[in-house]
mmCIF file of all heavy atoms in Angstrom:
data_model
loop_
_atom_site.group_PDB
_atom_site.id
_atom_site.type_symbol
_atom_site.label_atom_id
_atom_site.label_comp_id
_atom_site.label_asym_id
_atom_site.label_seq_id
_atom_site.Cartn_x
_atom_site.Cartn_y
_atom_site.Cartn_z
ATOM 1 N N ASP A 50 -67.360 -10.469 -93.351
ATOM 2 C CA ASP A 50 -67.629 -9.714 -94.656
ATOM 3 C C ASP A 50 -67.121 -10.418 -95.898
ATOM 4 O O ASP A 50 -67.787 -10.526 -96.900
ATOM 5 C CB ASP A 50 -66.972 -8.323 -94.543
ATOM 6 C CG ASP A 50 -67.373 -7.377 -95.667
ATOM 7 O OD1 ASP A 50 -68.579 -7.201 -96.053
ATOM 8 O OD2 ASP A 50 -66.370 -6.927 -96.274
ATOM 9 N N LEU A 51 -65.971 -11.001 -95.743
ATOM 10 C CA LEU A 51 -65.350 -11.755 -96.868
ATOM 11 C C LEU A 51 -66.187 -13.086 -97.182
ATOM 12 O O LEU A 51 -66.474 -13.311 -98.381
ATOM 13 C CB LEU A 51 -63.911 -12.208 -96.466
ATOM 14 C CG LEU A 51 -63.216 -13.116 -97.437
ATOM 15 C CD1 LEU A 51 -62.884 -12.382 -98.766
ATOM 16 C CD2 LEU A 51 -61.929 -13.595 -96.892
ATOM 17 N N LEU A 52 -66.565 -13.810 -96.174
ATOM 18 C CA LEU A 52 -67.049 -15.114 -96.422
ATOM 19 C C LEU A 52 -68.604 -15.154 -96.472
ATOM 20 O O LEU A 52 -69.163 -16.164 -96.952
ATOM 21 C CB LEU A 52 -66.636 -16.108 -95.294
ATOM 22 C CG LEU A 52 -65.037 -16.303 -95.232
ATOM 23 C CD1 LEU A 52 -64.697 -17.160 -94.082
ATOM 24 C CD2 LEU A 52 -64.527 -16.772 -96.604
ATOM 25 N N GLY A 53 -69.321 -14.169 -95.934
ATOM 26 C CA GLY A 53 -70.792 -14.094 -96.059
ATOM 27 C C GLY A 53 -71.305 -14.323 -97.541
ATOM 28 O O GLY A 53 -72.200 -15.146 -97.666
ATOM 29 N N PRO A 54 -70.791 -13.577 -98.463
ATOM 30 C CA PRO A 54 -71.320 -13.752 -99.820
ATOM 31 C C PRO A 54 -71.052 -15.185 -100.483
ATOM 32 O O PRO A 54 -71.704 -15.531 -101.454
ATOM 33 C CB PRO A 54 -70.560 -12.682 -100.677
ATOM 34 C CG PRO A 54 -70.146 -11.654 -99.618
ATOM 35 C CD PRO A 54 -69.828 -12.477 -98.344
ATOM 36 N N ILE A 55 -70.122 -15.862 -99.966
ATOM 37 C CA ILE A 55 -69.921 -17.284 -100.496
ATOM 38 C C ILE A 55 -70.556 -18.372 -99.561
ATOM 39 O O ILE A 55 -70.142 -19.558 -99.634
ATOM 40 C CB ILE A 55 -68.487 -17.575 -100.834
ATOM 41 C CG1 ILE A 55 -67.503 -17.369 -99.608
ATOM 42 C CG2 ILE A 55 -67.946 -16.678 -101.903
ATOM 43 C CD1 ILE A 55 -66.128 -17.776 -99.907
ATOM 44 N N GLY A 56 -71.432 -17.993 -98.647
ATOM 45 C CA GLY A 56 -72.192 -18.921 -97.984
ATOM 46 C C GLY A 56 -71.881 -19.157 -96.505
ATOM 47 O O GLY A 56 -72.469 -20.025 -95.776
ATOM 48 N N TYR A 57 -70.866 -18.449 -95.981
ATOM 49 C CA TYR A 57 -70.526 -18.724 -94.549
ATOM 50 C C TYR A 57 -71.353 -17.701 -93.722
ATOM 51 O O TYR A 57 -70.850 -16.641 -93.410
ATOM 52 C CB TYR A 57 -69.005 -18.428 -94.312
ATOM 53 C CG TYR A 57 -68.163 -19.518 -94.919
ATOM 54 C CD1 TYR A 57 -67.856 -19.666 -96.317
ATOM 55 C CD2 TYR A 57 -67.533 -20.516 -94.123
ATOM 56 C CE1 TYR A 57 -67.139 -20.629 -96.828
ATOM 57 C CE2 TYR A 57 -66.811 -21.547 -94.583
ATOM 58 C CZ TYR A 57 -66.587 -21.580 -96.028
ATOM 59 O OH TYR A 57 -65.796 -22.587 -96.505
ATOM 60 N N THR A 58 -72.565 -18.089 -93.439
ATOM 61 C CA THR A 58 -73.526 -17.160 -92.862
ATOM 62 C C THR A 58 -73.801 -17.339 -91.353
ATOM 63 O O THR A 58 -74.413 -16.508 -90.810
ATOM 64 C CB THR A 58 -74.894 -17.135 -93.697
ATOM 65 O OG1 THR A 58 -75.321 -18.518 -93.712
ATOM 66 C CG2 THR A 58 -74.657 -16.617 -95.104
ATOM 67 N N ARG A 59 -73.419 -18.493 -90.825
ATOM 68 C CA ARG A 59 -73.674 -18.736 -89.458
ATOM 69 C C ARG A 59 -72.458 -18.499 -88.650
ATOM 70 O O ARG A 59 -71.423 -18.956 -89.016
ATOM 71 C CB ARG A 59 -74.073 -20.268 -89.295
ATOM 72 C CG ARG A 59 -75.513 -20.516 -89.914
ATOM 73 C CD ARG A 59 -75.923 -21.945 -89.745
ATOM 74 N NE ARG A 59 -74.956 -23.013 -90.114
ATOM 75 C CZ ARG A 59 -74.546 -23.414 -91.243
ATOM 76 N NH1 ARG A 59 -75.209 -22.807 -92.320
ATOM 77 N NH2 ARG A 59 -73.736 -24.293 -91.562
ATOM 78 N N VAL A 60 -72.597 -17.737 -87.595
ATOM 79 C CA VAL A 60 -71.470 -17.428 -86.648
ATOM 80 C C VAL A 60 -71.861 -17.840 -85.170
ATOM 81 O O VAL A 60 -72.955 -17.583 -84.748
ATOM 82 C CB VAL A 60 -71.162 -15.906 -86.681
ATOM 83 C CG1 VAL A 60 -69.994 -15.591 -85.636
ATOM 84 C CG2 VAL A 60 -70.868 -15.386 -87.913
ATOM 85 N N GLY A 61 -71.021 -18.604 -84.699
ATOM 86 C CA GLY A 61 -71.240 -19.131 -83.342
ATOM 87 C C GLY A 61 -69.840 -19.193 -82.562
ATOM 88 O O GLY A 61 -68.782 -18.919 -83.182
#
Side-chain angles (χ1 to χ4, degrees):
D50 184 53
L51 172 69
L52 299 176
I55 59 173
Y57 290 76
T58 55
R59 294 178 312 280
V60 179

